[in-house]
Amino acid sequence: MCGIFAYTGKKSAEEVLLDGLESLEYRGYDSAGIYIPEAGVIKTPGAVSELREKIPANFKGHSGIAHLRWATHGEPNEKNAHPHSGCTDDIWIVHNGIIENFKELKEKLEKAGHTFKTDTDTEVLAHLIEYHLQKERDFEKSVLAALNEVRGTYGIAVQYKEKPEMLIAARMGSPLVLGIGEDERFIASDASPILPHTKKVVFLEDGEVAIITPMEHKILKLDATQVKRAPEEIEWNAEKAQKNGYEHFMLKEIMEAQEVIKNTLRGRLIADKGMAKLGGLESVAKKLEDIERIIIVACGTAYYAALVGEYMLEEYAGIPVEVELGSEFRYRSPVLNQRTALIGISQSGETLDTLEAIREGKRRGALTLGIVNTVGSTIARETDAGVYNHAGPEIGVASTKAFISQLTALALFTIFFGRQRHMSKETGREIADALLELPEKIRSILERNERIKELAEKYANYRDFLFIGRKYNYPISFEGALKLKEVSYVHAEGCGAGEMKHGPIAMIDENFPTIAIATQDSVYEKMKSNIEEIKARKGPIIAVVNDGDTEIPKLVDDVMFVPKTLEMLSPILNVIPLQLFAYYFARKKGLNVDRPRNLAKSVTVE
Ligand code: F6R
């Protein structure tokens, strides 16, 4: 949510900054802006391509700050785009986060004669630094003084016109990485824009301020005491995400499902022994034997994956599991102890709600584990142990391949925890074999995508959809609905099929289609009855059914076929037609599938 990139060194700052912003575009695309002390400031609504077009040939320099915005305070127009300055245009700042006490600070500054140009909380910080600079006459001290007055979250990079080679960066709750090159330094919201230049980085911690020039940097705490921290070498490469001929990242990422499962499983299954080998959990394996309860925290799509994980872990590992939204967990008083494992699931590894829930769990004594896709992200670093998804970068804002990988990783956790307890070798083997068969089954679903496209186009004029499922596929009803609403902006609701008669069925008529996930499992007969109930109310029905099913296809208007697998793994197959349906539905409407309005890929505000 909002991306920051800053540079000081010998290269052409405008080129370095624009290229870097492009790799941060997943964090926000409401507006973009760049400040180079020698050249000035340029801002625009829209994304980096729009910013590039506005940059004149003479806009050059050797340092600068740049920003991509996901709007929190104030409309996403040019005026509210970052960087922001104070009254004199000497201090410029880019910011990711929210200044919670901006109203009271603004009042104080207005009384001191400052006038504000924008509706943003960030501008207050620029004025506050300027206010202290007028008194202190020292850039470093002024930034520290200002930060000691603000409440809220921030990742910032600040420049002072009089000291163009210097950058000051600070972190509180929003991630920030310092890159250390040969006579050059970088600051970014994540390591991706830094990696093409250097692999030597320092991950700033909350409450730290970095004072940076091309040749050196120092890290201070907010009380100005110095912090010593050796840089780390990042092992991974900058994977430049490409669409590989697909029209959109979303379709490309759905089509990667086979590879994603193989990569999530690689080296982690000992199929003949019915075991899962999770290197990332080895350091805590002994403690995990004594765990009596699991809490999984996550948001959005990752939360729905967690709900499937609850069914898997309770049925096969026999451990009580609760699933919590990250945004709710920390605001109540959860009762945890050392025998509780708290698992955070996050594609980005930066979702603030999930991160704060993990921190709360840690404070309350739980052992924290992560299932994270983005290597080196804050959640990956702050949890006690965990596994990476290895799904590769997910660029489409709607999460698809990460969900498939999260479900696969949860199946591995289930074998791991189950075999530590009462799960037999045979059961472990059965799950392992079924997991290994998934890629081939996925291939057969993806090969039939033209049929799903036809269906999506047939239903593209409906404005409301109900998704129903039971047991393992109950969470898939929510995920199917989320995919459709976020990329198509139509009303879609997930609902437990059994719960439908307690209210939602009132909505059903011939203009309100239902998508029923009704594969042949232990709740198949119950799903059939629910489908009949909808039919009796004249609701159109599309059903996800197993290959070879001859009963449900006779009851419903349209079907999407998928192969059969073990019931606990069926969500992994059943969600794929729903992802494709959402994709083709939005495409038919001519919408920007990869960048749905109002959303951002990484949600680092509460
Ligand atoms: C939906 C979607 C979001 C994310 C949620 C959590 O398609 O992408 O609901 O799943 O914001 O994000 P991560 O997994 O990065 O923590």
Side-chain angles (χ1 to χ4, degrees), residues 299-302 346-348 351 397-399 482-483 486 603:
C299 300
T301 288
S346 175
Q347 187 288 127
S348 62
T351 301
V397 165
S399 187
L482 177 62
K483 283 293 88 79
E486 70 181 323
V603 186

Side-chain angles (χ1 to χ4, degrees), residues 298-304 345-352 354 371 374 379 394 396-400 402 406 479 482-483 486 599-603:
C299 300
T301 288
Y303 172 76
Y304 299 135
I345 305 182
S346 175
Q347 187 288 127
S348 62
E350 300 294 351
T351 301
L352 192 62
T354 307
I371 298 179
T374 307
I379 293 180
E394 190 179 63
V397 165
S399 187
T400 52
Q406 286 157 354
E479 175 56 9
L482 177 62
K483 283 293 88 79
E486 70 181 323
L599 296 177
K601 187 73 185 152
S602 173
V603 186

Side-chain angles (χ1 to χ4, degrees), residues 371-434:
I371 298 179
V372 175
N373 192 34
T374 307
V375 178
S377 56
T378 310
I379 293 180
R381 285 181 295 112
E382 289 201 14
T383 38
D384 296 313
V387 300
Y388 281 118
N389 288 100
H390 299 314
E394 190 179 63
I395 307 297
V397 165
S399 187
T400 52
K401 65 173 179 173
F403 183 68
I404 299 289
S405 174
Q406 286 157 354
L407 295 178
T408 309
L410 283 162
L412 287 171
F413 268 57
T414 302
I415 302 177
F416 181 88
F417 279 107
R419 295 288 278 127
Q420 273 193 334
R421 289 166 176 77
H422 309 294
M423 185 192 284
S424 68
K425 179 173 154 187
E426 285 64 39
T427 305
R429 219 192 266 167
E430 189 192 6
I431 302 173
D433 289 345

Side-chain angles (χ1 to χ4, degrees), residues 97 153 171-175 206 299 326-327 330 346 348-359 379 602-606:
T153 54
R171 168 185 169 147
M172 184 67 80
S174 302
D206 280 351
C299 300
S327 49
R330 62 184 291 223
S346 175
S348 62
E350 300 294 351
T351 301
L352 192 62
D353 289 323
T354 307
L355 175 63
E356 288 297 344
I358 291 168
R359 287 175 176 161
I379 293 180
S602 173
V603 186
T604 55
V605 293
E606 280 186 70

